[in-house]
Amino acid sequence: MSCHFENSRAAVEQAARATRSVIIVLIFLVCAMVVILTFLVKREGELHDAIREDAIWAVYQLDRETRALYELVHEVRLHPDERDPSTGELAVPPNQVVVKYDILYSRLSVLANSKYNSYFEQSAAIKAKMAAIRDSILSIEPIFNQIDAQQSYQGIELGRIDEVLGNLRGATNTFLVRTNASVSAGRADARDSVFRAQMLALLFMGAIAVAAVLLAFNLLRQLRLVRRTREELSKVAIELENAFEAAESGNKAKSAFMATIGHEIRTPLNAILGMSDLLATSNLRPEDAEHVSTISTSGRALLEMLNEILDFAKIENGSLHVEMIAFSLEKLITETVSVIEGEARRRNNSLLVEMDPALQGQWFKSDPTILKRILLNLLSNAVKFTENGRVRVSARSGTLSEGTSGLFFEVSDTGLGIPEAAQAKLFTAFHQVDSSISRRFGGTGLGLAISKQMVETLGGRIGVSSAPGKGSSFRFEIPAETTPALQDTEQSLPAITADLPRLQVLVVEDNTVNQRVAVKFLERLGQQPTVARSGAKALSVLRTRSFDLVLMDVQMPVMDGISATREIRKLGGAFATLPIIAMTADASDRHRQECFDAGMNGFEAKPLTFQRLGAVLRDHGPGQENQLTQVQAEPKHVTGADSASASADIVDFNEARQSELIQEFGAPVYEDLAVAFFENAEELVLTAVSASRNGDRATYDRALHTLRGAAENLGFLGIASTAHDLRAASGTDSPEARLRIAIDQAKSRFRRMAI
Amino acid sequence: MKFMLSLIFATLLGWAAHAAADLDKPSGKIVLVVTGNINTTNNAGAAEFDMDMLEALPQVERTIETPWTSEATTFSGPRLKTILDAVGAKGSGLIVTALNDYSAELPYEDAETLETMLATRMNGDLMSVREKGPLFLIYPFDTNPELFNEKYFARSVWQIREVEVLE
């Protein structure tokens, strides 16, 4: 088809060339025609003057007047004294003779003075004749003057004028004949040249007609060819479109395939990692220990790569959705940098944040999750390729080339640097500067491709400048409008705590990690928390002291939250109205209904965020009873994971949650919490495993539930989902292995990310 | 303006002529005889003019190029129409005859609609017979260039002696 199309195009071009040639010939012909017509018109003008005809007439008149005068003079000469018998006057009055002479004389002046002159003087012979005629006419003038004066023929040399006029008659006759011949010849010549010009014009007209026909024919042909080419072109376009769609769907299918297969690979890989870690704890010979360690490191590297590939597949798949929300740039950068701080420290790099002071406290609208990922990618690259150096991240706002306002980021390092030749390919997928890099540093080479895709998804641009040995500098810009700070969803600490009452809060929670998180949060919010490890403990504490609010975990050993609430409500009095808020990982409607049926006032999904906790305190504090119904009607406000939960199938870690905790408590506290969690998790796994062996379904379930809640609380979504899965699937083959794998993964993630 | 004046004069004169049904007798040499369908005469059905009579009529003047002169020449004299009105002429055509019996026939409109002049003077001087005088019929080649062709050249009679008004 494309060959066909080529042929058509060539034919169209050929036709166009032919048309051009014909047009050029046509223009030439028309020009020639114009020249000929101009010539003809000019000739016609010359003929119009018709001086020749007038000339003949003038000469004829001269000849005629000469004859008339000659006859009159001849008559007078023969009968000079003849008189009219009636009047007695002379038969030929002298006056008449004089007038005749005068007329002849005037003829002479016409020939001499008029425009014919130029014509006569063209011929030397005619000119000579004319001169002779003039001379002879003038020679007899005195005689006629004499006749005029005396009004008689007395003493007049009539013989002489008779002779002169006789000769003159011959001369004017010859003059007339010659003039006529000359004029005829001239006319014939003129007619001939006009005729030739006309024939030429006719010829050219014929040629023009032929060219015009040729042009019309050629244009028609061209039109036909163009139409055909257009048809072919549209066919090709459709084919291309089909091909593109096929390729596109192929690409999508590939991405979907990768996402699926990635998951499938990850499960056994997790098993390998888990088992190798288990193996590492057993008593091994040093040699074997090293082998196991190699398995473990390689496995982790593989897992990391797999995650990146899955990310990339997700982007290619088009399932990266932008969510434009307001965020604090300062907070975002701080959070991002805190993630990479640990690694930077390990590599002895200083980490510098340079933020335009104007940006402090500024809020922008974009997708903070994606932006954070981009910054994190660039930062982890910078840290990865730099040792004993400096990594700097800077941000400023400005105007993009499109004229809209935007944010400009730069992440620079003093590391390896990138050769210029490699810079162009830097942002292409599966590319690393050279193969030795991947051997030395690992990775898929997808990080920058992912970053670029993400920047472009946000409508921005990314670029790099680098010199080997001097470090690299990655710059990117994204459109972002400033926006007023969103007080509703994210508030600064002072804003949240500002109008909060100081309350006595009882936290009923069996899991230590969750206890600690809740207590820390409450303390940060200026509250006075007390912890009860179970429903029964809560009841006994409530009997001794008065509280303003109870945060009740629902699933606990000994006495669960539902039963505890019923018991509290049974106490009556102030306890009937004491606000009790459920905290649970199970956000189902059925569960929610159960809680309200038991007499709870609110329902919050775990993990409870700092923001939500503030809201709960404000809504359920003393004198806020009227808020109850509203809160009840309100569905869960913030899910356990924020926007990151959408990608929980791939991301096993809730960075947002982690960032929140780090921000509120500081990194060391978070580390403490994580360590405590991992210890706690170990116990819970053992409990679950032994319960599973003994067939103690309730204990098994509760242990896994607790694990899930605690894991969610710290953002370890992988563990949470594994625990959840195990609860649902009864009699699973190896709960221990799966849990250990998940925990192990979380640990490695924690280690890698942390701090 | 001049043209208007001539018209008024001519009309007045025509009226006067009609009233008198007569024309003064020429006192000098007769230079023009008007014959044919006219109602104002001074000699046996003809109207005879000497130069003084012609020059007493309203005069017009125009400077033109002709095929018979080598440069622009000023002609002056009465309009042909002025003379025809003076003799109470009425007709469809005119025959203008020269001293040498050359004659040309022209439609009456040439006198009515065109400002044809019976020139008596060339460059301010009376014209002798040798100088195509005494009278020369001049067509307005300057204001009507389309007349500059043989048709009107042939009608441009000089050495005029007689004008006959055809019915």
Side-chain angles (χ1 to χ4, degrees), chain A residues 521-686:
Chain A
F521 271 161
L522 287 168
E523 280 172 353
R524 289 277 288 163
L525 288 167
Q527 308 302 318
Q528 293 170 313
T530 306
V531 177
R533 290 177 53 84
S534 68
K537 285 255 166 59
L539 272 170
S540 62
V541 172
L542 279 169
R543 284 198 188 96
T544 56
R545 281 175 56 194
S546 75
F547 286 91
D548 302 309
L549 183 72
V550 178
L551 296 176
M552 180 77 77
D553 182 21
V554 178
Q555 282 180 300
M556 288 176 293
V558 185
M559 185 191 279
D560 68 12
I562 306 259
S563 320
T565 306
R566 287 207 187 94
E567 290 303 314
I568 294 167
R569 292 294 182 230
K570 274 185 199 160
L571 295 174
F575 297 109
T577 53
L578 175 67
I580 304 175
I581 311 299
M583 296 188 297
T584 174
D586 185 351
S588 70
D589 286 342
R590 189 187 52 77
H591 187 60
R592 180 197 302 259
Q593 200 51 52
E594 261 177 25
C595 293
F596 286 131
D597 287 349
M600 295 199 191
N601 304 77
F603 184 94
E604 291 294 331
K606 273 185 171 177
L608 203 57
T609 65
F610 193 61
Q611 306 283 334
R612 273 314 294 162
L613 193 55
V616 166
L617 290 169
R618 198 173 300 109
D619 293 346
H620 297 282
Q624 305 288 331
E625 287 81 3
N626 55 338
Q627 296 280 332
L628 294 185
T629 40
Q630 191 194 325
V631 172
Q632 283 172 5
E634 203 178 3
K636 62 173 179 173
H637 212 267
V638 173
T639 54
D642 61 358
S643 54
S645 73
S647 57
D649 56 340
I650 290 176
V651 181
D652 291 338
F653 186 70
N654 184 351
E655 271 177 50
R657 178 64 179 176
Q658 185 200 31
S659 303
E660 185 184 22
L661 294 172
I662 290 172
Q663 197 187 347
E664 298 308 336
F665 305 148
V669 173
Y670 177 74
E671 271 186 80
D672 279 357
L673 279 172
V675 170
F677 165 76
F678 286 125
E679 281 169 9
N680 184 224
E682 199 68 30
E683 285 169 26
L684 286 167
V685 170
L686 290 176

Side-chain angles (χ1 to χ4, degrees), chain A residues 279-585:
Chain A
L279 204 58
T281 55
S282 54
N283 242 341
L284 293 172
R285 287 183 297 164
E287 200 181 303
D288 293 335
E290 198 162 314
H291 292 163
V292 170
S293 157
T294 307
I295 293 171
S296 190
T297 339
S298 306
R300 276 199 188 91
L302 187 59
L303 190 63
E304 193 180 330
M305 274 194 241
L306 200 60
N307 283 338
E308 271 194 349
I309 290 169
L310 289 179
D311 271 1
F312 186 71
K314 199 173 151 195
I315 290 170
E316 281 238 304
N317 211 7
S319 49
L320 181 73
H321 297 294
V322 180
E323 200 181 1
M324 302 298 273
I325 47 175
F327 63 93
S328 156
L329 182 66
E330 195 178 352
K331 191 177 157 208
L332 185 140
I333 290 177
T334 314
E335 281 172 19
T336 312
V337 167
S338 74
V339 173
I340 207 79
E341 256 169 8
E343 182 69 19
R345 217 171 21 236
R346 222 177 342 271
R347 291 181 155 274
N348 199 22
N349 291 325
S350 63
L351 197 50
L352 237 77
V353 179
E354 280 176 14
M355 201 161 87
D356 189 338
L359 288 178
Q360 263 151 23
Q362 284 272 31
W363 283 56
F364 292 89
K365 202 158 193 177
S366 183
D367 188 323
T369 315
I370 294 180
L371 182 55
K372 212 191 249 179
R373 290 274 289 281
I374 300 164
L375 276 172
L376 204 55
N377 267 346
L378 295 179
L379 274 170
S380 62
N381 260 359
V383 168
K384 189 166 159 187
F385 294 113
T386 309
E387 225 159 339
N388 305 322
R390 181 177 52 79
V391 172
R392 190 173 62 93
V393 55
S394 69
R396 64 179 176 85
S397 67
T399 309
L400 301 178
S401 53
E402 293 86 18
T404 52
S405 57
L407 288 170
F408 294 78
F409 296 94
E410 182 179 353
V411 176
S412 59
D413 62 60
T414 55
L416 240 52
I418 306 148
E420 197 162 338
Q423 287 177 18
K425 283 194 191 163
L426 207 55
F427 293 102
T428 40
F430 303 106
H431 178 83
Q432 278 187 331
V433 172
D434 63 51
S435 51
S436 67
I437 298 280
S438 58
R439 280 199 297 277
R440 205 168 133 199
F441 295 98
T444 51
L446 275 174
L448 285 174
I450 292 169
S451 300
K452 182 173 191 276
Q453 297 266 27
M454 285 176 165
V455 168
E456 281 166 3
T457 304
L458 293 182
R461 269 190 297 265
I462 188 166
V464 64
S465 62
S466 178
K470 291 197 173 158
S472 310
S473 167
F474 287 86
R475 290 187 197 84
F476 70 96
E477 53 186 64
I478 55 159
E481 299 273 343
T482 53
T483 181
L486 274 188
Q487 297 300 325
D488 291 348
T489 54
E490 299 228 16
Q491 286 171 314
S492 61
L493 185 63
I496 295 173
T497 53
D499 52 351
L500 275 186
R502 276 179 68 84
L503 303 177
Q504 296 289 338
V505 181
L506 178 63
V507 179
V508 188
E509 167 68 69
D510 63 326
N511 182 270
T512 44
V513 172
N514 289 352
Q515 283 170 7
R516 286 180 64 180
V517 171
V519 167
K520 290 280 178 193
F521 271 161
L522 287 168
E523 280 172 353
R524 289 277 288 163
L525 288 167
Q527 308 302 318
Q528 293 170 313
T530 306
V531 177
R533 290 177 53 84
S534 68
K537 285 255 166 59
L539 272 170
S540 62
V541 172
L542 279 169
R543 284 198 188 96
T544 56
R545 281 175 56 194
S546 75
F547 286 91
D548 302 309
L549 183 72
V550 178
L551 296 176
M552 180 77 77
D553 182 21
V554 178
Q555 282 180 300
M556 288 176 293
V558 185
M559 185 191 279
D560 68 12
I562 306 259
S563 320
T565 306
R566 287 207 187 94
E567 290 303 314
I568 294 167
R569 292 294 182 230
K570 274 185 199 160
L571 295 174
F575 297 109
T577 53
L578 175 67
I580 304 175
I581 311 299
M583 296 188 297
T584 174

Side-chain angles (χ1 to χ4, degrees), chain B:
Chain B
M1 190 62 200
K2 208 168 183 176
F3 175 70
M4 288 294 292
L5 273 176
S6 320
L7 262 176
I8 294 163
F9 253 88
T11 316
L12 283 175
L13 219 84
W15 174 77
H18 273 277
D22 213 356
L23 200 66
D24 292 337
K25 289 270 183 202
S27 53
K29 188 182 168 191
I30 294 165
V31 292
L32 177 68
V33 181
V34 183
T35 60
N37 191 31
I38 56 172
N39 59 19
T40 306
T41 59
N42 56 9
N43 186 17
E48 295 177 345
F49 291 87
D50 61 13
M51 198 50 90
D52 289 345
M53 286 166 73
L54 289 175
E55 294 214 281
L57 293 171
Q59 303 287 300
V60 289
E61 183 185 292
R62 62 173 68 240
T63 302
I64 54 169
E65 293 208 28
T66 72
W68 316 280
T69 50
S70 36
E71 54 195 9
T73 309
T74 303
F75 292 97
S76 59
R79 270 193 67 177
L80 180 55
K81 185 177 163 37
T82 309
I83 294 167
L84 293 174
D85 287 344
V87 298
K90 219 178 225 171
S92 59
L94 301 166
I95 293 176
V96 182
T97 311
L99 288 172
N100 66 343
D101 297 328
Y102 175 87
S103 67
E105 190 174 335
L106 39 137
Y108 203 80
E109 292 81 55
D110 278 12
E112 287 280 344
T113 55
L114 293 172
E115 210 182 289
T116 43
M117 176 208 305
L118 211 58
T120 54
R121 287 173 187 270
M122 185 165 72
N123 292 330
D125 297 325
L126 289 171
M127 294 176 281
S128 67
V129 176
R130 292 183 185 183
E131 293 160 336
K132 307 179 195 70
L135 300 170
F136 196 157
L137 182 59
I138 297 294
Y139 274 83
F141 295 127
D142 53 346
T143 50
N144 303 53
E146 74 277 5
L147 303 178
F148 199 83
N149 60 48
E150 295 90 327
K151 185 171 154 189
Y152 290 94
F153 295 162
R155 292 180 190 177
S156 301
V157 183
W158 66 69
Q159 292 167 339
I160 294 169
R161 63 174 166 83
E162 189 185 327
V163 174
E164 185 187 350
V165 181
L166 300 174
E167 235 175 297

Side-chain angles (χ1 to χ4, degrees), chain A residues 668-709:
Chain A
V669 173
Y670 177 74
E671 271 186 80
D672 279 357
L673 279 172
V675 170
F677 165 76
F678 286 125
E679 281 169 9
N680 184 224
E682 199 68 30
E683 285 169 26
L684 286 167
V685 170
L686 290 176
T687 310
V689 167
S690 75
S692 168
R693 279 197 199 114
N694 301 336
D696 183 353
R697 187 74 200 163
T699 312
Y700 174 76
D701 198 57
R702 203 174 49 242
L704 288 177
H705 171 75
T706 310
L707 182 60
R708 178 189 169 196

Side-chain angles (χ1 to χ4, degrees), chain A residues 9-21 218-219 221-223 225:
Chain A
R9 216 180 54 183
V12 169
E13 273 168 15
Q14 197 193 343
R17 269 199 301 277
T19 304
R20 269 198 299 278
S21 311
N218 216 13
L219 281 176
R221 193 167 71 106
Q222 207 175 334
L223 206 69
L225 284 171

